Amino acid sequence: MSRTQCPRCQRPQSHCLCPLIPSLDSRTRVLLLQHPSEVNHALNTARLAALGLNNAELIVGEVFEDLPRLLNQPGYQAQLLFPADDARPLQAYAPCDEPLLLVVPDGTWRKARKLLHLNPLLAALPRVTLAEGGVSRYRLRKAPGPGALSTVEAIVQALQVLEAPASFEGLLRPFEALIEGQIAAMGEEVFRRNHAGK
């Protein structure tokens, strides 16, 4: 028997996160390009980011036919949030006369690289990167490396830099509730044995 889902946050109705999801304005436009494998992931943090930001859009796919239109937003300068040797730190854009269109691929590192490979326009965008040393609050997975953040955490960190002193911490409330719920469901002992200290 399937549980009733909230049509907005797509969590089971009994664990709906909507009361925790903020409605935040940002000068920066956020375009989330989500690999289809992430859509039904229990911790779909890209969806949480898109729901909590008024100036954000989430598109699911592997090849984005509409990319020229999506990237050519009048008044915005498109930048890809993805590491590269020539990526500029986001601090270089703050403050910025022209707001950014922050393009964020969402998926495992391998799937995100595949999105770039399948969409040459995406791969050709100038890249920006977060400051090193960010610590993830995502206690349910082992980070692939230092500074590896979930999608919503990366967006919050980026917006905190680009739009200081505005705060976007509210975006993390549903994310933290989601993690606490997952830990409660598995039980403290299982969590400690499998995840604590990783």
Side-chain angles (χ1 to χ4, degrees), residues 28-173:
T28 305
R29 178 153 180 77
V30 178
L31 174 62
L32 292 132
L33 300 176
Q34 186 175 62
H35 190 277
S37 66
E38 294 294 307
V39 173
N40 295 317
H41 194 284
L43 300 172
N44 185 340
T45 71
R47 172 177 296 287
L48 294 178
L51 290 173
L53 287 170
N54 298 326
N55 197 10
E57 184 175 5
L58 173 67
I59 299 173
V60 177
E62 278 195 311
V63 176
F64 302 97
E65 305 290 347
D66 209 16
L67 209 49
R69 182 191 66 78
L70 291 168
L71 297 178
N72 189 19
Q73 300 283 325
Y76 288 96
Q77 181 187 158
Q79 303 282 331
L80 181 69
L81 183 60
F82 202 79
D85 290 340
D86 62 347
R88 290 184 67 193
L90 275 169
Q91 285 83 345
Y93 293 90
C96 188
D97 293 335
E98 190 178 18
L100 294 189
L101 166 65
L102 194 63
V103 183
V104 184
D106 178 57
T108 62
W109 285 107
R110 193 171 67 79
K111 296 282 172 64
R113 282 189 201 94
K114 184 176 182 186
L115 291 180
L116 269 56
H117 176 73
L118 293 173
N119 298 277
L121 258 183
L122 199 56
L125 285 176
R127 297 190 192 189
V128 290
T129 187
L130 299 169
E132 288 182 20
V135 178
S136 178
R137 301 181 194 184
Y138 200 161
R139 297 174 292 151
L140 292 175
R141 69 166 188 188
K142 187 170 183 344
L149 304 174
S150 67
T151 299
V152 73
E153 290 174 305
I155 289 168
V156 167
Q157 190 174 320
L159 292 177
Q160 302 275 71
V161 170
L162 293 170
E163 306 205 12
S167 174
F168 293 87
E169 283 286 317
L171 272 180
L172 296 176
R173 278 201 327 267

Side-chain angles (χ1 to χ4, degrees), residues 6 8-9 11-13 15-22 42 48 173-178:
C6 169
R8 183 167 179 253
C9 71
R11 299 289 301 150
Q13 201 70 56
H15 295 85
C16 174
L17 294 169
C18 290
L20 296 173
I21 297 172
L48 294 178
R173 278 201 327 267
F175 168 68
E176 287 167 347
L178 196 53

